[in-house]
Amino acid sequence: MESKKFRQYVGILAAVVFYYLIHEGAHLLSALAMGVFKSVRFMGVGMQIDVNSELMTSAQMGIFCAVGAIATLVAAYVLVALTGSICKSQSKLLKSTMYYITIAMLLLDPCYLSILCGFFGGGDMNGIALLIPEAVARVIAGVLLVLNAIVFWKVVLPQYQKTFAEASDMQ
């Protein structure tokens, strides 16, 4: 039987891996579809899809940069919709892992695009700003951050709290 701390570490690690698979996977698929894929760069604890940007229009670059955040948002809401089913699982490890993955999918990109991109060189925001003004994109991301935080607080968290409390009562 695994400990709570073990489940937390596995959940956080899985959230990082899942986030990169979804976010960077969307970038990869869009780069392949546009015929501009160059390489996958591994840097520090992360990775990045490198493209032949000179072959891309501004709109293509904007779409390429936006698809990662769109994919994580879609994944987030699929996980929110599945929260009740996930919480019925007998596996504490699965529930803990899905809990952390849901948090990452709901909050990472909106937080980065609304607040953190200004401190860390822009990243995807540089391309998204080719489609819409950066200030508008940051406001949209900020609104999504608030809405997603409310969804987490009002929908996801209560279900997981209930299932983990029930599991504690059974011991």
Side-chain angles (χ1 to χ4, degrees):
M1 182 178 216
E2 68 273 343
S3 71
K4 179 179 178 181
K5 192 163 278 312
F6 173 78
R7 290 190 303 271
Q8 288 172 332
Y9 286 133
V10 169
I12 291 168
L13 179 62
V16 169
V17 170
F18 194 79
Y19 172 82
Y20 275 113
L21 284 173
I22 298 298
H23 184 97
E24 296 301 329
H27 287 315
L28 175 62
L29 292 175
S30 69
L32 289 169
M34 292 179 208
V36 295
F37 174 73
K38 190 189 266 183
S39 67
V40 177
R41 280 195 214 164
F42 292 93
M43 359 189 288
V45 294
M47 62 186 268
Q48 182 179 26
I49 304 303
D50 192 17
V51 295
N52 291 307
S53 57
E54 64 278 356
L55 302 176
M56 300 171 76
T57 65
S58 293
Q60 286 175 315
M61 181 58 81
I63 291 165
F64 169 78
C65 290
V67 295
I70 292 167
T72 60
L73 186 63
V74 169
Y77 279 93
V78 167
L79 289 169
V80 169
L82 294 173
T83 297
S85 298
I86 294 165
C87 287
K88 290 177 185 171
S89 170
Q90 297 300 309
S91 170
K92 288 181 184 180
L93 182 59
L94 174 70
K95 289 186 279 194
S96 180
T97 299
M98 298 311 290
Y99 174 75
Y100 287 105
I101 290 172
T102 303
I103 292 170
M105 295 296 106
L106 278 171
L107 303 178
L108 283 181
D109 278 328
C111 182
Y112 180 77
L113 291 172
S114 63
I115 301 166
L116 299 177
C117 69
F119 299 104
F120 296 105
D124 286 339
M125 182 56 78
N126 293 333
I128 294 168
L130 297 171
L131 297 175
I132 60 175
E134 182 176 338
V136 173
R138 288 179 79 157
V139 167
I140 292 168
V143 169
L144 280 172
L145 177 61
V146 170
L147 291 175
N148 288 356
I150 291 168
V151 166
F152 174 75
W153 190 261
K154 296 288 188 181
V155 177
V156 176
L157 184 61
Q159 291 182 68
Y160 277 101
Q161 283 178 325
K162 182 180 176 193
T163 192
F164 286 126
E166 289 169 356
S168 298
D169 293 343
M170 292 181 182
Q171 293 178 349

